[in-house]
Amino acid sequence: MIDTDKELTARDSSLGRLLVYGLGLIGGSLAQAARQRGLCREVIGVSRRQSTLERALEMGVVDRVYSDAREGLSQLGPGDMVVICVPTLTVRATLEELRECLHPAVTITDAASVKGAVVSAAIDVYGALPPQLVPGHPIAGSEKSGVEAANPNLYVDHRVILTPEPQTGTEHLAAVRRLWEGVGATVSLMPWAEHDEVLAATSHVPHVLAYALVDTLARMEENREIFRYAAGGFRDFTRIAGSDPVMWHDICLSNSDAILAVLDHLTGSFAELRNAIAVGDSDFILGVFTRAREARTHFTKMLERKAYLEPMTSQSLIYRTQKAPGPLSGRLRVPGDKSISHRAIMLGSLAEGITRVSGFLEGEDALATLQTFRDMGVVIEGPSRGEVIIHGVGMHGLKPPPGPLYLGNSGTSMRLLAGLLAGQPFDVVMTGDESLSKRPMGRVAEPLALMGAVIETEEGGCPPLVVRGVDSLNGINYVLPMASAQVKSALLLAGLYAEGETAVTEPAPTRDHTERMLGGFGYPVERDGATARVRGGGILKACDIDVPADISSAAFFMVAASIVPGSELLLEHVGINPTRIGVINILRLMGGDLTLENERNVGGEPVADIRVRYAPLKGIAIPEEQVPLAIDEFPALFIAAACAEGTTVLSGAEELRVKESDRIQAMADGLATLGVQTEPRPDGIVITGGALARGGLGGGVVESHYDHRISMAFAVASLVANDEVTIRDCQHVATSFPDFVALANRAGFRLLEAHA
Ligand code: S3P
């Protein structure tokens, strides 16, 4: 497909003649693409082989050809360009010809896979890197070779790396960039040394391995016949051994240092894996394979998102509802509980034996925790459809991770891990995304320091956190200054490693999943009023965990069904732990129609199916004791308040200001956009309801502040809006609720997703 904008830019730039030196797959494809897209006045082909030139003319790859390069080169002048597309070790000889007969204003670029070799050849030939030379490398190709394989779309959606030096002429760099963009590629700049290291690892060594495997097998006498039986694995792995041998020979010799460094690493890995296979070290083998599979999955996702093309971070997802839908209906099971999923990975990793988890939340936050433990040497299989198998390493079996632990958006991961890692003998660095990097960690670092932990934070107690290895911790008696399950849990987890008893007293009940799950793993936790106590030095015994659906995710549907007249939804298998049901209590106080059915106990956590029917809501003063029990559900509840008759007042909720965003301000701003009057306060908000009575909310563009719950709350609001609602930066919904849009639309929402 031809992109008209790009076409115009290229024409505007008026590239004169393009001489492609070497008409193999790479040069032929470029020549053909440039010619078809009209990127230059004329395309000239140079090749020593007469048959190649004839074929190139026949195929319409070029306008004119020369077998004697000098003839073609001497005709070029300012505004023209030469692209060298010959094997790497032939570049030097080509540059010698160019120096002798090419005008110094002609742009030169190349397509060789090793940039260091091109730079040093140019310095040898010209005495210094000439400003007209822009070294380049299109990351595209195929195991086919020769001009016959030329494909004018070869570069579409592929990356081209240019490695200019300070002396490279800007006009030459711009011209080369325009050429590649004109044939559909995306251009990035990189120092040549970095290019050669990256390519050694991701391209050169894989080719060496593929050639070596095929050659070794082919030369083993007894294997004569085996290729006949070679199945998919062999074919997939060795496809690239069908590539051009001369080209790869040249690459190996010209990028030998970088290739050898990777090969040396690999040789070590082979030896370890060989030994593990020889001695039957199943954990080692499974560890390597599960980590690799995870990395590969991540890599495949990157490729699907065309990471070669788009920087990952700039992807902004928007939700849009154009038309208010009718009533919601159906049965839904929202994803697994985030808090319980985090804890299952943590305790399962420290347990003795194998823990099987079902209903695990495959959202980015819980996956960040999972990856962390893999990084610390725990073998974790899955997740696959919510099933995870954790091969526990015991209380003292974690290994130092190879680098910083990246926890993305997840405050729960970072705070709980701060406690758990405080008792390990090694140093760990924990980092997070932009939102997490602004969240207060002093609330865990300070009490942990009282236990003897050494934790360094950035200014203001923010991440990154450095948790230093220590020999021992001591138990403390700590009264929490705020109602926080994360801080309570961090201290209890550190308490598992402390001498004596650790007692944590909370000012109001907060979620008690840590205490319950410790009990499930056979670790005694004493509960006495507002105080939970553990004694250090015990062990955890592996168990099976069935994670209920997350009430915090279900809350969006509770509010949705409550505000859209005629709705009825059944939310299945939802966790109704008494420390989490504030949203049910508050909605009921507002007049909501919610009934619990089929109440049961699943692995230490109470669970029910929740039936929610539309009911006219009224504004209330939210009882303060409900605040910690509904702490994550306020964004959704604020939408209920906007629709209710009368005013809703929330106080005692200053914690909302330090969640993934300042949720009081973010909601107040978004509600104002949709025409709702609010009065934000330091510890809460007053919301003037009546939107439904007025015929619905207004429309507009709402900022989610990269906060998953703000995005989903306004998706619910859009159900009763009269105009189009657009919610920006919704990509973080994947932290807690992958597939939110699909599930919501199944229930009757009309959400559209788009990338901005
Ligand atoms: C959580 C506790 C709550 C909650 C968070 C998850 C947990 O945070 O907001 O989403 O899993 O312990 P605080 O304990 O900081 O209130």
Side-chain angles (χ1 to χ4, degrees):
M1 218 180 59
I2 296 176
D3 181 324
T4 359
D5 279 352
K6 282 171 187 161
E7 224 189 353
L8 281 179
T9 335
R11 278 206 194 112
D12 288 349
S13 70
S14 61
L15 176 60
R17 278 163 295 195
L18 176 70
L19 186 146
V20 179
Y21 196 125
L23 291 173
L25 170 73
I26 295 293
S29 299
L30 176 63
Q32 198 173 20
R35 189 159 181 262
Q36 280 187 5
R37 292 169 182 239
L39 300 179
C40 52
R41 245 182 23 242
E42 191 186 27
V43 181
I44 303 169
V46 166
S47 170
R48 296 210 195 296
R49 277 218 211 138
Q50 200 54 43
S51 58
T52 299
L53 296 176
E54 282 164 15
R55 191 81 186 95
L57 282 171
E58 263 168 44
M59 288 171 63
V61 164
V62 290
D63 295 297
R64 273 192 301 144
V65 293
Y66 290 97
S67 58
D68 178 354
R70 286 156 206 264
E71 266 182 61
L73 292 168
S74 55
Q75 297 174 13
L76 304 184
D80 296 339
M81 186 187 299
V82 176
V83 187
I84 304 172
C85 299
V86 300
T88 308
L89 291 182
T90 319
V91 171
R92 169 191 292 265
T94 310
L95 286 171
E96 270 161 7
E97 276 179 331
L98 263 54
R99 188 181 58 96
E100 281 166 30
C101 54
L102 191 68
H103 191 288
V106 175
T107 305
I108 308 171
T109 187
D110 76 299
S113 304
V114 184
K115 301 313 337 147
V118 172
V119 169
S120 62
I123 293 172
D124 282 355
V125 171
Y126 284 87
L129 205 65
Q132 69 193 126
L133 175 63
V134 184
H137 176 210
I139 308 194
S142 130
E143 62 283 9
K144 296 188 197 133
S145 42
V147 72
E148 295 76 15
N151 165 12
N153 292 320
L154 185 67
Y155 303 109
V156 173
D157 285 356
H158 281 70
R159 195 178 275 292
V160 173
I161 298 175
L162 303 180
T163 65
E165 292 285 296
Q167 60 269 49
T168 307
T170 48
E171 71 285 13
H172 296 295
L173 177 57
V176 175
R177 182 191 272 277
R178 277 193 302 268
L179 172 69
W180 285 116
E181 287 175 352
V183 296
T186 297
V187 171
S188 355
L189 306 186
M190 209 185 254
W192 65 261
E194 187 183 334
H195 167 277
D196 288 359
E197 276 170 28
V198 170
L199 269 288
T202 56
S203 169
H204 306 169
V205 166
H207 279 81
V208 171
L209 294 185
Y211 282 124
L213 177 68
V214 177
D215 183 50
T216 308
L217 294 186
R219 285 195 306 168
M220 285 162 69
E221 189 64 26
E222 63 275 24
N223 283 344
R224 279 273 158 75
E225 288 293 296
I226 62 164
F227 294 119
R228 208 187 282 277
Y229 307 106
F234 181 80
R235 279 168 213 250
D236 287 351
F237 187 82
T238 59
R239 178 181 61 78
I240 50 180
S243 309
D244 182 351
V246 175
M247 174 171 147
W248 287 98
H249 157 272
D250 282 14
I251 290 172
C252 283
L253 294 184
S254 21
N255 198 22
S256 53
D257 286 352
I259 292 176
L260 288 178
V262 181
L263 279 180
D264 288 349
H265 260 297
L266 259 177
T267 313
S269 306
F270 275 142
E272 283 176 349
L273 201 50
R274 186 192 184 285
N275 180 53
I277 294 170
V279 302
D281 184 343
S282 104
D283 268 4
F284 185 91
I285 300 169
L286 212 48
V288 172
F289 291 0
T290 46
R291 282 196 305 274
R293 181 175 192 255
E294 192 52 35
R296 164 79 199 167
T297 308
H298 176 65
F299 169 69
T300 310
K301 277 191 209 142
M302 279 169 57
L303 286 184
E304 275 165 7
R305 281 199 250 168
K306 301 210 181 84
Y308 273 167
L309 296 178
E310 301 145 356
M312 305 267 286
T313 48
S314 75
Q315 280 271 308
S316 170
L317 187 64
I318 56 173
Y319 288 172
R320 184 177 290 143
T321 300
Q322 278 162 323
K323 192 160 159 264
L328 308 177
S329 62
R331 308 164 74 95
L332 298 179
R333 179 161 171 168
V334 300
D337 188 281
K338 186 149 75 76
S339 296
I340 298 177
S341 296
H342 282 301
R343 288 156 171 86
I345 297 292
M346 293 179 188
L347 299 190
S349 294
L350 297 178
E352 293 182 2
I354 293 185
T355 292
R356 287 169 204 277
V357 186
S358 54
F360 179 78
L361 167 66
E362 295 183 40
E364 286 170 8
D365 279 11
L367 291 173
T369 295
L370 187 152
Q371 188 55 38
T372 298
F373 283 88
R374 279 205 176 117
D375 287 348
M376 293 190 288
V378 182
V379 173
I380 304 177
E381 296 175 64
S384 157
R385 297 200 195 148
E387 307 273 327
V388 177
I389 301 172
I390 309 164
H391 298 242
V393 294
M395 292 300 291
H396 300 284
L398 294 180
K399 300 205 178 85
L405 301 175
Y406 178 70
L407 300 166
N409 195 242
S410 179
T412 310
S413 309
M414 191 173 280
R415 295 206 178 110
L416 269 58
L417 277 168
L420 191 155
L421 296 174
Q424 307 299 327
F426 48 82
D427 294 358
V428 180
V429 178
M430 290 194 279
T431 65
D433 70 5
E434 215 183 303
S435 148
L436 183 54
S437 302
K438 290 187 199 132
R439 298 186 65 187
M441 294 296 147
R443 55 176 60 197
V444 286
E446 283 155 25
L448 286 169
L450 300 176
M451 298 177 76
V454 182
I455 300 184
E456 295 152 22
T457 65
E458 287 297 296
E459 241 181 66
C462 291
L465 291 192
V466 183
V467 184
R468 299 272 174 216
V470 291
D471 292 337
S472 65
L473 297 175
N474 51 273
I476 52 166
N477 203 324
Y478 190 70
V479 180
L480 292 176
M482 76 290 281
S484 167
Q486 292 181 351
V487 182
K488 172 178 67 175
S489 302
L491 298 180
L492 293 176
L493 292 173
L496 306 183
Y497 289 93
E499 302 220 342
E501 187 183 82
T502 298
V504 189
T505 304
E506 48 190 5
T510 66
R511 65 193 70 192
D512 61 359
H513 304 302
T514 306
E515 298 91 303
R516 283 177 189 249
M517 203 182 284
L518 279 170
F521 277 88
Y523 204 107
V525 182
E526 247 180 68
R527 194 72 223 201
D528 135 33
T531 306
R533 298 170 205 278
V534 291
R535 269 197 167 274
I539 60 161
L540 297 163
K541 288 185 228 86
C543 63
D544 290 352
I545 296 172
D546 179 356
V547 182
D550 198 329
I551 190 169
S552 300
S553 299
F556 298 104
F557 293 95
M558 294 182 202
V559 172
S562 299
I563 62 174
V564 178
S567 298
E568 175 169 344
L569 285 177
L570 185 71
L571 303 166
E572 296 174 329
H573 204 74
V574 181
I576 51 159
N577 180 312
T579 60
R580 296 286 297 280
I581 54 169
V583 62
I584 299 179
N585 300 338
I586 294 169
L587 278 174
R588 279 183 172 159
L589 288 173
M590 296 174 79
D593 178 356
L594 297 96
T595 42
L596 304 188
E597 298 176 5
N598 195 12
E599 284 186 54
R600 55 214 181 265
N601 199 296
V602 175
E605 291 280 350
V607 166
D609 300 331
I610 305 177
R611 188 174 298 279
V612 193
R613 296 189 184 90
Y614 165 77
L617 302 180
K618 58 180 193 301
I620 57 165
I622 297 173
E624 283 200 17
E625 76 275 5
Q626 293 297 323
V627 170
L629 313 184
I631 193 70
D632 291 336
E633 288 65 76
F634 284 109
L637 284 168
F638 289 1
I639 303 300
C643 295
E645 261 320 294
T647 302
T648 296
V649 182
L650 172 69
S651 52
E654 53 281 338
E655 277 296 303
L656 290 182
R657 295 216 176 254
V658 289
K659 292 294 177 189
E660 285 83 328
S661 68
D662 174 346
R663 286 186 174 158
I664 292 176
Q665 199 55 49
M667 287 303 297
D669 293 344
L671 283 170
T673 304
L674 304 189
V676 179
Q677 221 189 329
T678 68
E679 183 202 323
R681 294 175 175 171
D683 73 334
I685 191 166
V686 180
I687 299 175
T688 308
L692 281 194
R694 289 194 301 274
L697 293 165
V701 180
V702 170
E703 296 295 336
S704 73
H705 296 273
Y706 301 93
D707 183 330
H708 53 140
R709 300 204 196 279
I710 305 291
S711 297
M712 289 187 278
F714 283 106
V716 172
S718 73
L719 290 169
V720 291
N722 290 316
D723 271 319
E724 180 169 311
V725 174
T726 299
I727 309 155
R728 287 171 30 108
D729 298 317
C730 297
Q731 56 273 33
H732 282 68
V733 167
T735 59
S736 67
F737 204 147
D739 294 332
F740 168 70
V741 169
L743 206 71
N745 286 346
R746 246 180 53 207
F749 285 57
R750 289 210 189 138
L751 291 172
L752 299 173
E753 284 180 288
H755 289 282

